[in-house]
Amino acid sequence: MGTPRETREEQAEEVIERLEAEYPDSTISLRYSNRLELLIAVILSAQCTDERVNAETEHLFEKYDGPADYVEVPQDELAEDLNSITYYNNKAGYIQSACEAILEDHDGEVPDTMDELTELSGVGRKTANVVLQHGHDVVEGIVVDTHVQRLSRRLGLTEEKRPEAIEQELMESVPEGYWQQFTHLCIDHGRTICTARNPDCSGCVLADICPSEKGDSDVDLASGEPW
């Protein structure tokens, strides 16, 4: 069991410093060339790997060029184009509805505010944060995906379970200038070392400050379950 820094602010800063050294090129892994493609890729990424999404959108973005293309195609055809994606029927409906709203309410442009984005079908706060940060260069929150949720709890940065509550606590301890990069660092570390089922604590650069470290800790703070 590692020993975290005295305050959550100090813990967050130490985590960021170490992970930046470990993953100097950490960035978003979804592939896109414009804001609409980003929005669609993030909608598709819910409960699906970025690798799978990138494989699917490679041909999707060649076939569909703008919001009107997605609206005009039969939903069954769009769903078939997404059939390797989890919940592809639902996501096809979300994409068509979002694109219809973009055309009717936003002059064909992806909106640039949290309120307007979260009014679109299939868009919650996490998706909106990604689109704002990478599509509009607006950072007003922290993207909390499954990796951020798991690592933040394991590292003692939060005891909350809901993504919205975790985000609010992280915004109090993570320096504002790192709100965007914190997510990418957690994702890279979560994929490489701090996996959900069998984290490699012996190879982790955070082990000595992690209260969930398997060497001495009896409990995985991410789940609250014994190791």
Side-chain angles (χ1 to χ4, degrees), residues 4-63:
R5 296 294 184 255
E6 288 190 9
T7 68
R8 285 181 173 176
E9 290 82 0
E10 292 172 337
Q11 178 78 341
E13 290 180 6
E14 185 67 22
V15 166
I16 291 167
E17 182 178 342
R18 294 190 190 190
L19 292 185
E20 274 199 313
E22 196 75 6
Y23 310 101
D25 301 318
S26 185
T27 189
I28 189 171
S29 57
L30 291 171
R31 297 186 193 130
Y32 60 94
S33 62
N34 57 56
R35 290 165 179 162
L36 180 62
E37 289 185 359
L38 172 61
L39 173 63
I40 290 170
V42 182
I43 289 174
L44 295 177
S45 72
Q47 295 179 284
C48 189
T49 66
D50 289 358
E51 182 179 14
R52 168 53 55 192
V53 172
N54 286 337
E56 196 70 73
T57 56
E58 185 175 0
H59 67 80
L60 188 76
F61 294 158
E62 289 180 357
K63 180 175 180 179

Side-chain angles (χ1 to χ4, degrees), residues 9-193:
E9 290 82 0
E10 292 172 337
Q11 178 78 341
E13 290 180 6
E14 185 67 22
V15 166
I16 291 167
E17 182 178 342
R18 294 190 190 190
L19 292 185
E20 274 199 313
E22 196 75 6
Y23 310 101
D25 301 318
S26 185
T27 189
I28 189 171
S29 57
L30 291 171
R31 297 186 193 130
Y32 60 94
S33 62
N34 57 56
R35 290 165 179 162
L36 180 62
E37 289 185 359
L38 172 61
L39 173 63
I40 290 170
V42 182
I43 289 174
L44 295 177
S45 72
Q47 295 179 284
C48 189
T49 66
D50 289 358
E51 182 179 14
R52 168 53 55 192
V53 172
N54 286 337
E56 196 70 73
T57 56
E58 185 175 0
H59 67 80
L60 188 76
F61 294 158
E62 289 180 357
K63 180 175 180 179
Y64 302 95
D65 187 43
D69 287 352
Y70 291 97
V71 170
E72 292 166 3
V73 70
Q75 185 173 327
D76 288 347
E77 182 178 340
L78 178 57
E80 185 60 29
D81 288 334
L82 303 173
N83 65 10
S84 72
I85 299 287
T86 52
Y87 307 110
Y88 61 91
N89 282 312
N90 290 341
K91 291 176 181 178
Y94 295 152
I95 289 169
Q96 284 200 312
S97 179
C99 285
E100 187 174 355
I102 286 170
L103 287 170
E104 292 182 357
D105 302 329
H106 303 288
D107 298 320
E109 299 294 331
V110 175
D112 61 358
T113 69
M114 178 65 71
D115 288 343
E116 290 174 317
L117 281 167
T118 53
E119 288 177 356
L120 300 177
S121 292
V123 178
R125 185 171 175 87
K126 182 191 82 170
T127 295
N129 263 325
V130 176
V131 174
L132 287 174
Q133 291 178 12
H134 294 279
H136 295 286
D137 292 323
V138 174
V139 181
E140 61 176 68
I142 296 175
V143 176
V144 178
D145 75 342
T146 182
H147 298 290
V148 175
Q149 185 172 355
R150 182 173 69 254
L151 268 67
S152 296
R153 286 176 56 83
R154 280 182 177 165
L155 289 164
L157 293 173
T158 184
E159 294 180 2
E160 297 290 346
K161 295 181 178 179
R162 294 184 305 104
E164 295 82 2
I166 291 172
E167 180 186 9
Q168 293 306 309
E169 289 210 338
L170 289 177
M171 288 167 65
E172 295 174 4
S173 56
V174 174
E176 187 170 354
Y178 282 95
W179 282 3
Q180 179 173 320
Q181 196 63 7
F182 180 79
T183 296
H184 300 315
L185 293 170
C186 286
I187 290 172
D188 280 347
H189 197 60
R191 287 173 175 163
T192 307
I193 300 292

Side-chain angles (χ1 to χ4, degrees), residues 196-218:
R197 295 185 180 179
N198 190 29
D200 179 16
C201 295
S202 63
C204 180
V205 297
L206 303 174
D208 65 304
I209 61 168
C210 179
S212 294
E213 192 267 324
K214 286 194 299 184
D216 298 307
S217 177
D218 295 326

